[in-house]
Amino acid sequence: MSDTTAERPRSAAQEARIDLSHGSGGRAMRDLVNDVFLSAFANPALAALEDQARIPLADLCVAGDRLAFTTDSYVVDPLFFPGGDIGELAVNGTVNDLAVSGAVPLYLSCGVILEEGFALADLRRIVESMARAAEAAGVQIVTGDTKVVPKGAADKLFIHTSGVGAIPAGVEIAAGRARPGDRILVNGFIGDHGVAILAARGDLALQVPIESDTRPLNGLVRALLDACPQVHCLRDATRGGLATVLNEFAESAGVCMEFEEAAIPVRDEVRGVSEILGLDPLYYANEGVLVAIVPESCADRALAAMRAHPAGAQAASIGEVTAEPAGRVVMRSGFGGGRIVDMLIGEQLPRIC
Amino acid sequence: MSDTTAERPRSAAQEARIDLSHGSGGRAMRDLVNDVFLSAFANPALAALEDQARIPLADLCVAGDRLAFTTDSYVVDPLFFPGGDIGELAVNGTVNDLAVSGAVPLYLSCGVILEEGFALADLRRIVESMARAAEAAGVQIVTGDTKVVPKGAADKLFIHTSGVGAIPAGVEIAAGRARPGDRILVNGFIGDHGVAILAARGDLALQVPIESDTRPLNGLVRALLDACPQVHCLRDATRGGLATVLNEFAESAGVCMEFEEAAIPVRDEVRGVSEILGLDPLYYANEGVLVAIVPESCADRALAAMRAHPAGAQAASIGEVTAEPAGRVVMRSGFGGGRIVDMLIGEQLPRIC
C-alpha cells in the first residue's frame, strides 16, 4: 500500500477537509456526525440522534448511590504525540477524574471545536482513538456536539469530554480526609507525559524515547479499593504535577505531606531532560499517575494490589502524612534535610493536556 | 499582602488579563477558580474542590426514572450581543437540550478555553451572566475546568457546558414519535437570535433593534407537559433553524411535516432583514424557540398552556403531520401551492452559537 500511495495523487478522501458547513446544524453536519462519530462510538443512546442521551437511572443505581459528574477540555499541542493523541487523552482524562472519586465511570460526552480546514482523516483518526480508549476503559460515549470556527479562530482541534459515573455505597474519598500517620502511594513513574509533549514539539535539541503515560486508572482504583476500602484520598496528578496534588491534599486536610525524594519513581531519561532544562519532575503533568493517601493499617495491602495491576507495576510508597507543618508539603532528601515544596507557581509548559 | 492590593488603583483590576499561568493547574489557576467561578456559582458540590461533583442519586430519582445527559460548546462571535452573551447562551442552550427530552434539568458543568490576554473583567461578566442564567433556570453549575491557550490559538473565549437531568416516569418524547394527524406548534417568533448576531457583528449596513431570544425553556416545557402529557416530539430550533428541526422529525418518524408559511411567527424587522439579505428565516438559529408535535386531541390545550407562559406568549399552531411525502417537509403558501423545504445545506452564518 505504501509504495502505491507514493506514486499516485492523494485521493479525495485523504484531502477532505472540514469546512464551515460541517458546523451549521444542517445536512453537512448531520452527515459528518453519522460518518465519523456515530460509526466509531456506536451505541444505542447516541444512535437515537436526540439532543441528549437517555439512560435508565437504575443502570447507575446498581453501580452506586451517588452520581459523579466531571468535565475537562483538551487543548494539547501537538494533537499526536508519542504514546497517544488528544482523543485518547480526552477519554482517559475524564475517566480518571471520575475514577479518583471511587466512581465506576459509565458514560461520556464528546464535544469538538474544529478549525476550518482541519483534515478529515486526522479527525477520523482522533475519533477512532477515542472509541478505542472508551472501550478499554469500559465507558460509552453517548452524546456529543460539533462546532466549526473559521480558519485562525482556533488551533486545529479542541475536545471537551464530560463524564458521569456512580460512586459505590460506603466509598468516601476526599482530599480533606488525609490524617497523620497515613501513607502516601503513587502508582508509577512521574513526568513521562510532560517530557513526551516537550519532545514531540521539537523543543528539545535531543531525542528522548519517552511516551506519554496516558491510560485509564479506573481498573487500578478498583483493585486498590478492593484491597483497602478505607482509602482516604485519591487524585490523578495531571496539570501541576505531583507537587500540586500533594499541596491540595495538605491544604484541604490541614496536614503535612512528607515524602522522600529518592522514593519518587522517575525514569532516568526524564531526570536527565529535567536537569538539562532546569525543570522539576514534581511539576510535570502526568496522564496516568495516581496519588493515594491510605491508612497505615492497609498501606502494604494497597501497595501490593497496585503493583499487581498493569497500571501500577512501579507503584511506590513515597512518604507519610504528618501533623506539622500543617498545610505544607515537605520533601526529605538523602542528606536528611527537608524543603517545602509549593504548588506550581507560573506555567511550566502551556497546552500540555 | 491584602492591604497593598487594596491600595492598587481600580484601573489595574480593570486591565487585568488572563495569562498562561491561569491554565497551569497550579496556584494561579486555583486563585482564578476561587475568585471568579466559585464565588459566582456558589454551591457545595463545586466548593468541595474535587475533580468531580458528587450528587446523591436519590436527588435525581425523585425527579424521574431516566438520566438525561447532554453537551454543547459555544463559540459565538461576538461574545456580547443584544439580548445576551456567550455565558447566558451556554447555560440556556444546555438547559434546553435537557428540557426537550422532558427532563427536569438539574446540574451543569462549565469548561472554558481562554485565549492568553483575555480581559479578566470580561470573564467575570460572562461568568456572572452564567450564574444568573443558572439561577433563572433552576440548575446548579457543579463542576468545571479552565484551560488557557497562547495568544492566537483560540479566539478570545469558548465555553462548553454539559448537563444532567432526570426524565419523569411516563414521559416519552422522541423525534420518531410524530404521527399523521398530530399538530405542529411553535412557542414564538423565529429568527431573532440569528438577526441579533448579524447586527452585532456590524455585518448589516442598517440598524436592527432585535435582541437574541436566548432563554431557558424548561418552565415552558413543564407547562406544556402538564397540559398535554402525551407530547410526541420536542426540540429547540437552534443551528439549522425551524426547517432543520422539522426535517429531523420528518426523517425520524417517516412522516411529512406540512406547515403554513403565513402561520410562522416572524417579526417584521426579521422579515425585512431577510428580504434584503436574501436569507430565509426558516434557517436562522434560534436560542429560545420550541417546536412541539402534539396529538390533535390535546393540541388546543397545549397551545393555550404555551400562550399562558411568558416564554410562549406568541405560540402558534403552524401546521400538521401528514403521511405523504414521507420524510419531507412541505410549506404551503397563501396561494395554495406547496414547496419542499429541505434541511439547511451549507452554512448561513458561522459562529452563531
Side-chain angles (χ1 to χ4, degrees), chain B residues 277-295:
Chain B
L277 298 178
L279 296 174
D280 188 338
L282 290 174
Y283 295 102
Y284 283 135
N286 311 282
E287 291 295 337
V289 167
L290 184 72
V291 190
I293 309 295
V294 300

Side-chain angles (χ1 to χ4, degrees), chain B residues 7-264:
Chain B
E7 298 285 305
R8 272 199 331 220
R10 186 157 173 269
S11 60
Q14 286 175 317
E15 285 170 8
R17 295 191 176 275
I18 295 294
D19 64 48
L20 290 171
S21 74
H22 289 119
S24 66
R27 183 73 62 190
M29 189 176 93
R30 183 54 61 103
D31 291 346
L32 179 76
V33 167
N34 281 330
D35 177 38
V36 176
F37 293 94
L38 293 189
S39 58
F41 297 157
N43 63 67
L46 192 64
L49 279 179
E50 296 289 351
D51 288 339
Q52 68 301 114
R54 302 161 187 196
I55 296 146
L57 276 166
D59 289 1
L60 281 88
C61 294
V62 295
D65 62 356
R66 283 152 294 163
L67 179 81
F69 179 31
T70 191
T71 196
D72 255 332
S73 45
Y74 296 85
V75 298
V76 66
D77 174 37
L79 299 176
F80 302 95
F81 46 81
D85 58 55
I86 189 172
E88 186 180 352
L89 208 63
V91 170
N92 289 343
T94 290
V95 162
N96 293 347
D97 278 348
L98 292 172
V100 295
S101 70
V104 180
L106 294 168
Y107 307 104
L108 262 55
S109 66
C110 164
V112 295
I113 297 175
L114 292 157
E115 184 186 17
E116 182 186 13
F118 189 70
L120 190 60
D122 283 343
L123 177 62
R124 213 181 283 281
R125 193 176 150 200
I126 288 165
V127 169
E128 283 163 5
S129 172
M130 293 186 80
R132 278 193 305 274
E135 191 175 354
V139 297
Q140 292 189 318
I141 300 172
V142 294
T143 188
D145 179 57
T146 306
K147 291 288 191 306
V148 181
V149 297
K151 197 146 188 70
D155 186 15
K156 299 189 276 289
L157 166 80
F158 301 142
I159 299 181
H160 62 264
T161 46
S162 297
V164 295
I167 305 174
V171 172
E172 294 294 345
I173 298 168
R177 296 194 67 220
R179 291 289 172 271
D182 286 354
R183 202 92 72 78
I184 310 171
L185 310 179
V186 298
N187 68 319
F189 294 116
I190 66 166
D192 291 4
H193 181 73
V195 171
I197 297 295
L198 267 174
R201 284 195 201 157
D203 291 352
L204 302 179
L206 56 171
Q207 291 269 339
V208 189
I210 291 286
E211 296 198 334
S212 166
D213 62 340
T214 179
R215 57 186 159 188
L217 293 171
N218 51 330
L220 178 68
V221 169
R222 194 58 39 216
L224 174 61
L225 284 172
D226 284 347
C228 175
Q230 318 92 303
V231 167
H232 284 164
C233 320
L234 280 182
R235 212 160 262 191
D236 56 333
T238 54
R239 283 181 293 173
L242 177 61
T244 295
V245 166
L246 292 176
N247 269 280
E248 289 167 354
F249 289 160
E251 285 183 15
S252 288
V255 295
C256 171
M257 298 279 149
E258 199 170 321
F259 69 93
E260 297 291 329
E261 183 172 17
I264 306 282

Side-chain angles (χ1 to χ4, degrees), chain A residues 51-52 54-55 70 173 239, chain B residues 51 54 70 97 146 173:
Chain A
D51 288 339
Q52 68 300 115
R54 301 161 187 196
I55 297 146
T70 192
I173 298 169
R239 282 181 293 173
Chain B
D51 288 339
R54 302 161 187 196
T70 191
D97 278 348
T146 306
I173 298 168

Side-chain angles (χ1 to χ4, degrees), chain A residues 285-331:
Chain A
N286 310 283
E287 292 295 337
V289 168
L290 184 73
V291 190
I293 309 295
V294 301
E296 177 59 34
S297 59
C298 68
D300 291 335
R301 276 202 312 282
L303 187 60
M306 286 169 82
R307 284 187 174 150
H309 191 278
Q314 274 75 36
S317 172
I318 64 166
E320 63 172 359
V321 180
T322 58
E324 300 286 343
R328 308 312 294 259
V329 176
V330 173
M331 181 171 77

Side-chain angles (χ1 to χ4, degrees), chain A residues 185-189 213 215-224 265 267 288-292 300-317:
Chain A
L185 310 178
V186 298
N187 68 319
F189 294 117
D213 62 342
R215 57 186 159 188
L217 292 170
N218 51 329
L220 178 69
V221 168
R222 193 59 40 217
L224 174 61
R267 292 184 204 273
V289 168
L290 184 73
V291 190
D300 291 335
R301 276 202 312 282
L303 187 60
M306 286 169 82
R307 284 187 174 150
H309 191 278
Q314 274 75 36
S317 172

